[in-house]
Amino acid sequence: MKKIVLKSEACIGCGACVGIDSEHFEFSDDGFSVIKSQENLDSTALQDAIDACPVAIISLENANEESVKEVERVENKKACETENHTCECHEENTCSHCHCHDEKKAA
């Protein structure tokens, strides 16, 4: 299985990847590129975005099971933060866009 890897600490925020492939990349609140989706990794636009990055921080790599879980954990955490709530379950990678915020309200 493959995954997109973006070394975000080296991103300069030029937006080439977002402009070329908005299916896989978007801007974070601080203006740097982040991975939006790990789906459709065979797309031409994805490869074009990887090739266009002026600082060469985007790659498509083989993913082992542990790295796939980490990608899922980060994406789930991002989804929950977007909805203005946080979950402790991200650290255990048990969140699959869970409703633990609902459970907290009921407690």
Side-chain angles (χ1 to χ4, degrees):
M1 179 176 197
K2 292 191 176 231
K3 71 172 183 169
I4 303 167
V5 175
L6 186 148
K7 297 175 185 166
S8 57
E9 68 280 353
C11 181
I12 61 172
C14 77
C17 60
V18 176
I20 294 169
D21 186 9
S22 61
E23 175 185 358
H24 293 102
F25 303 99
E26 64 186 0
F27 286 114
S28 65
D29 289 341
D30 56 0
F32 296 101
S33 297
V34 293
I35 298 168
K36 179 178 174 180
S37 170
Q38 290 285 348
E39 302 293 320
N40 190 24
L41 299 183
D42 293 325
S43 79
T44 303
L46 173 58
Q47 189 57 56
D48 290 346
I50 291 169
D51 294 340
C53 180
V55 288
I57 61 166
I58 307 169
S59 60
L60 195 56
E61 298 179 5
N62 287 324
N64 60 34
E65 186 176 329
E66 184 152 325
S67 63
V68 169
K69 286 182 181 180
E70 176 62 12
V71 167
E72 289 172 353
R73 185 189 70 75
V74 169
E75 288 177 353
N76 288 333
K77 183 175 181 182
K78 179 181 167 190
C80 287
E81 288 172 350
T82 299
E83 294 180 10
N84 296 319
H85 70 273
T86 56
C87 311
E88 290 81 27
C89 56
H90 297 292
E91 298 309 315
E92 293 86 36
N93 197 32
T94 57
C95 181
S96 58
H97 205 66
C98 67
H99 296 282
C100 60
H101 59 286
D102 295 334
E103 293 169 13
K104 286 180 185 177
K105 289 178 187 174

